Amino acid sequence: MQVFSFTILFLLSFLATYSQDITGNWQGNIEANGQKIPIVFHFYKDSTGNIDGKWDSPKQKAIGLPFSEITLENDSIKLVIKIIGGSYKGKFIGNDSIAGTWLQAGGAVVLNFSRSTESVSTDAVTLLLPSEKEIAITSAAGSKIYGTLLSKNSNQKLAIIIAGSGPTDREGNNLLGVNANSYKMIAQALDSQNIASFRYDKRGVAKSITADMNEENFRFDDYINDAKKVFYYLHDSLGFKEIYILGHSEGSLVGMVAAETINVKGFVSIAGAGRPVDEIIEEQVNNQPLPDSLKMKTVQIFDQLKKGERVDNTPVLLNTIFRKSVQPYMISWLKYSPEVEIKKLKCPVLIVQGECDVQVKITDAENLHKANKQSVLDLIPLMTHALKNGGKDCEDTDGKTYTDPSLPLNKRLIDDITGFTKK
């Protein structure tokens, strides 16, 4: 399961001591297996003469996002995004280039910039199919949730696709180099089978970011309530009557709990956890080459969080998981056990799990199936967490299933979903 994080930004402050003229537009690309994710920085002087700025991720239709801090000193630049525990560090190469690194959620990717006079259009990098349209739905908090509806008419069966954890957008991609287009490909495959779909950017991700969001105020229930809002809009306002929920990874638990109180026709868990989050993270930490003291500390932190108590002074190496601002979300997440929640579902349930998934285990799918004995379980050979086929013996060379959008989805996955909805 992907390390927990959010792409949410909040403008806090800025510092500046510099010699370079940074004002203007700067364009760069995060590259993953030959694919490019454009990032654009905009810097300008405010009314007091200090440097301020915003940044865009055009491919995610996220425009005008604020920084937390901007620090310019001699030949270097540091941009802090406290809300995601992220930052950018770079050095000026002459007057028109910056070489640096994007850091987020414990990962680091090279990101270099050149001064640019051109703007990057969201339409130029995100093309809609003829039967696709973007719609905005009001979230439970009043902000806008942006998503893509792929539909011929409201008489079709419709699948709501709920994204996994972290800064994963409606297409199944994120800025840390995941560029698989898995959710977009699911939507297009379902369209070919005359099944409509709606995939959306979660609150605080991609185009659904707002500057006034604060990670410390997020709760797991926010995503559950947003999923219900999406359902009611599609059902009541747009007239879709046969709606299914497809939840991937963390989205499985979100969709599962949402489905308990709304009239969905069916629920599909794709690579969904079958154990509480603390058990999974403890397992992941234990599999890392970390000192035993840190592994024991992880257990102790979870014991305290499960009591509803925040933890001070977490070890630096565990800060990505347990930073202070994310602990309220973690506390709210810990109260849900997938094995308990899936028992409550009255609708038909399909559980799909790839046998080559290194993030979520076959045991998780089996736990869900045992908890809901009326469910259908399908373990798919070769399929990875990115829903594409790994190689022989589950080899995913250089994580290609996560970074190559040209790789097709596992065909059996689509057959499972379409067969389940049509049945």
Side-chain angles (χ1 to χ4, degrees), residues 153-376:
N153 58 69
S154 61
N155 294 321
Q156 292 179 289
K157 297 183 178 186
L158 179 139
I160 298 173
I161 301 170
I162 302 179
S165 62
T168 305
D169 66 18
R170 73 183 85 172
E171 314 294 15
N173 305 324
N174 67 51
L175 294 178
L176 287 177
V178 177
N179 192 33
N181 272 351
S182 299
Y183 305 154
K184 181 177 183 179
M185 296 172 77
I186 289 176
Q188 293 175 349
L190 293 179
D191 179 59
S192 71
Q193 299 298 313
N194 197 35
I195 299 170
S197 65
F198 181 71
R199 61 193 192 270
Y200 63 97
D201 296 328
K202 298 178 298 183
R203 194 192 311 189
V205 172
K207 195 170 182 180
S208 297
I209 295 172
T210 62
D212 60 349
M213 289 182 177
N214 189 323
E215 182 178 61
E216 194 163 3
N217 295 330
F218 265 74
R219 303 294 182 269
F220 191 81
D221 299 84
D222 293 333
Y223 292 120
I224 297 168
N225 293 330
D226 287 348
K228 293 179 184 179
K229 281 279 192 175
V230 167
F231 170 85
Y232 286 123
Y233 182 85
L234 295 168
H235 186 275
D236 299 344
S237 299
L238 298 190
F240 289 94
K241 300 306 179 188
E242 296 189 59
I243 299 179
Y244 296 76
I245 287 181
L246 278 61
H248 176 240
S249 193
E250 183 190 64
S252 169
L253 182 56
V254 171
M256 191 186 301
V257 180
E260 294 171 10
T261 56
I262 55 179
N263 187 26
V264 294
K265 293 297 181 180
F267 169 71
V268 182
S269 172
I270 306 174
R275 295 165 288 164
V277 62
D278 58 311
E279 293 184 22
I280 293 174
I281 292 179
E282 285 173 12
E283 178 182 84
Q284 292 177 343
V285 171
N286 286 334
N287 290 335
Q288 299 300 315
L290 296 171
D292 288 342
S293 59
L294 279 181
K295 296 176 181 179
M296 181 59 67
K297 185 65 175 177
T298 300
V299 176
Q300 294 169 351
I301 291 173
F302 271 124
D303 286 343
Q304 190 166 335
L305 292 175
K306 282 188 282 188
K307 295 176 184 177
E309 302 171 356
R310 297 201 203 186
V311 180
D312 295 319
N313 302 318
T314 58
V316 174
L317 290 177
L318 298 178
N319 197 48
T320 299
I321 307 171
F322 298 119
R323 61 189 179 275
K324 199 69 176 288
S325 60
V326 87
Q327 289 182 25
Y329 181 92
M330 189 71 75
I331 290 170
S332 69
W333 191 1
L334 285 165
K335 71 180 182 181
Y336 290 108
S337 168
E339 295 165 285
V340 172
E341 301 305 326
I342 202 167
K343 288 180 182 179
K344 301 176 185 178
L345 295 183
K346 305 302 181 185
C347 64
V349 175
L350 171 64
I351 300 165
V352 183
Q353 177 63 44
E355 293 185 350
C356 289
D357 190 332
V358 297
Q359 294 181 246
V360 177
K361 307 297 185 182
I362 292 175
T363 301
D364 290 288
E366 292 174 337
N367 286 350
L368 293 176
H369 181 51
K370 289 174 185 176
N372 187 323
K373 293 181 169 46
Q374 302 304 313
S375 64
V376 176

Side-chain angles (χ1 to χ4, degrees), residues 143-161:
S143 60
K144 294 296 183 182
I145 299 291
Y146 290 89
T148 302
L149 177 67
L150 177 51
S151 169
K152 298 176 177 66
N153 58 69
S154 61
N155 294 321
Q156 292 179 289
K157 297 183 178 186
L158 179 139
I160 298 173
I161 301 170

